[in-house]
Amino acid sequence: MNFTRWSARLPGTQRRAAAQTDTTVDPDRRGDGSVPAARAEQLTDEVPSVPAVPAIDGLPVRDVLDRVPALVALVHGPDHRLAYVNDAYVAAFGARDLGARAREALPELDEPGLFPLLDQVQRSGRPRTLKSRKAPDGRSYTFTCTPVTESHNGDGRGVLVFATDVTDHAEAATRLRASERRQRETAVTLQRSLLPQELEEPDDLRVAATYHPGGTEAAVGGDWYDVITLGGGRTALVIGDVMGRGVRAAAVMGQLRTAVRAYARLDLPPHEVLQLLDGLATEIDANQIATCVYAIHDPNEGRLVYASAGHLPILVRDEQGAVQRADEPTGPPLGTGGWIHASGSIPLAPGSTAVLYTDGLVERRNEDLDEGIAALERALSGATGSPQVICDRLVRSAGVTPDHDDDVAVLVLQHPARKGAEAELFRNAALDLLGGVEAAPRARAFASGVLTSWRFPADLHDLGVLATSELVANSLQHGTPPMRLRLRRTDRRLTIEVTDGDDHLPRRRRAEPGDESGRGIAIVATIASNWGSRRTPGGGKAVWCDFVLPKP
């Protein structure tokens, strides 16, 4: 093949040719910056002569291509007849028969998918590149196909195939992807292990949750949720999102979730729990912030009391399908410091469903955040069934797929409307404790009558009356009016609670033989399955105890 008859449109050829043309300058020309003749003669005398560099057009093309380490092949004509292969190509794949069709002469180009590219280059007259394709020899190449034409008439068309060995780069990229995949798997494993493996089951609520990590191209984030039974029929629910991704975000999430469970045992109002978390988040990492919603459900109030630290609003759907958004109050994210959080409330009547979620469910790059929340409201308004069914429907309606670019956590809770025989298992009774010491016998008589009407066995009846007597006596002695006794039963436990106006919380202590007081709480703690106390929002305190009912 005579290479002098062919020209390839390689990048930079035109610029070099133009530079060679510009080297001939008119000696009479005197432009700005030109060197005077006298000065030029002086330079000629001082600098030894340098051999002239041959122009690129004067170099033997075949000798150049035979010496480059890249693989080079030239095909011509509509059926891509092989015209030339260089020494590097022969060393890699062996000798080839010139004049044969490329499909027969160069079968190794079939696996990387180069033959359709030859047709495209010849038709369009534009170069094309395939990056990092593996050839049959096991090495990876980047193939560049450049159109060439015969120089004397331009009628002949061919394609110059230039293959650069990028095996080292491809293997390094593969190792990097494998390392990133292992790191992501580690973070996902850590994230899932820190989330609750099994949700606690409150007596009065039905709950379900789901977590979907981001797709394989996104590092795992710090989304978390939890359900915590507080005793006395109350339940704490929490969902949060640590900003950032990877193992660090998952580790911070684990610390915050553990702290939430510890603070929840103090039975503090939601805003006080967030206040404590805010300080802890600053201590963990001053550069790491997190959003969080902490809510408490009390079946006696029919409301969800909550506090939010920069998190998305809770959505509540009533029995008729109307959705309400809990927008206020909302403080800044955890870890910012210097903010006094406040608690708000939203109705959660029997038959209602509440949804707590992270931003991965509603945030999209091409949409406003409010549009995503509005779409979630519409999906929730038509969602019925169990909490798990609603979880799945909301995730599907939001278009969450395995390739989703952000983590998604959803927590759904229902306050079921019980009727018929089921309603008989959920009963309430209350008595205002008026007067002085005579309130104690009235409370015992009231408790005895209620427990008898609820058909409790004799031993549980007697324990309930004894616990009522001790709690009421403790309140009459150490508390202040108003005082109230409340008895509540579910399908699993009996709860006895006494409230009064004094905010001093009782504690269990060891009474000496000569002490006249200090035994009431000890007796309650001994006979009951669980007991506790908390301060009430309007001032004062509540002291309660639980008895687990025998399974039928």
Side-chain angles (χ1 to χ4, degrees), residues 300-336:
N300 299 310
E301 297 177 358
R303 302 183 68 84
L304 200 62
V305 181
Y306 67 93
S308 174
H311 203 79
L312 299 173
I314 301 172
L315 302 181
V316 177
R317 174 189 182 274
D318 63 20
E319 200 168 12
Q320 287 72 38
V323 178
Q324 183 178 354
R325 185 187 302 188
D327 280 330
E328 298 293 340
T330 300
L334 303 175
T336 56

Side-chain angles (χ1 to χ4, degrees), residues 132 140 166-181:
S132 190
S140 296
V166 294
T167 303
D168 292 341
H169 298 283
E171 291 178 350
T174 301
R175 289 192 297 269
L176 179 60
R177 286 192 295 269
S179 175
E180 292 176 346
R181 184 170 58 252

Side-chain angles (χ1 to χ4, degrees), residues 196-369:
Q197 304 304 304
E198 187 175 346
L199 292 178
E200 295 185 21
E201 298 182 3
D203 292 355
D204 298 276
L205 298 176
R206 296 173 184 164
V207 295
T210 186
Y211 170 73
H212 294 268
T216 55
E217 299 300 323
V220 68
D223 295 14
W224 94 91
Y225 56 83
D226 209 348
V227 178
I228 309 165
T229 54
L230 302 177
R234 302 166 75 248
T235 305
L237 306 114
V238 60
I239 194 165
D241 185 3
V242 177
M243 302 304 168
R245 296 186 177 277
V247 175
R248 178 60 182 167
V252 172
M253 177 276 289
Q255 295 178 74
L256 290 178
R257 177 176 173 259
T258 302
V260 168
R261 294 194 69 88
Y263 295 148
R265 298 307 176 191
L266 300 176
D267 215 340
L268 300 172
H271 65 275
E272 293 189 22
V273 172
L274 290 191
Q275 210 70 47
L276 293 172
L277 285 176
D278 186 32
L280 179 64
T282 305
E283 294 177 7
I284 293 175
D285 189 342
N287 299 319
Q288 194 89 51
I289 62 174
T291 63
C292 179
V293 166
Y294 182 85
I296 294 177
H297 174 255
D298 190 334
N300 299 310
E301 297 177 358
R303 302 183 68 84
L304 200 62
V305 181
Y306 67 93
S308 174
H311 203 79
L312 299 173
I314 301 172
L315 302 181
V316 177
R317 174 189 182 274
D318 63 20
E319 200 168 12
Q320 287 72 38
V323 178
Q324 183 178 354
R325 185 187 302 188
D327 280 330
E328 298 293 340
T330 300
L334 303 175
T336 56
W339 183 266
I340 304 299
H341 292 274
S343 293
S345 66
I346 187 170
L348 190 70
S352 298
T353 300
V355 178
L356 291 75
Y357 52 96
T358 56
D359 58 0
L361 187 66
V362 295
E363 192 172 31
R364 300 293 180 270
R365 293 180 181 178
N366 57 347
E367 291 183 3
D368 186 75
L369 183 60

Side-chain angles (χ1 to χ4, degrees), residues 17-35:
Q20 294 171 10
T21 305
D22 291 344
T23 55
T24 304
V25 181
D26 188 351
D28 297 331
R29 178 180 175 185
R30 293 292 180 267
D32 293 339
S34 60
V35 181

Side-chain angles (χ1 to χ4, degrees), residues 498-530:
V498 176
T499 59
D500 64 59
D502 185 79
D503 60 2
H504 177 72
L505 299 180
R507 60 185 179 86
R508 184 179 179 181
R509 62 187 179 88
R510 186 186 185 93
E512 298 298 331
D515 292 343
E516 296 182 358
S517 62
R519 296 180 177 84
I521 295 299
I523 293 173
V524 171
T526 301
I527 65 176
S529 305
N530 194 15

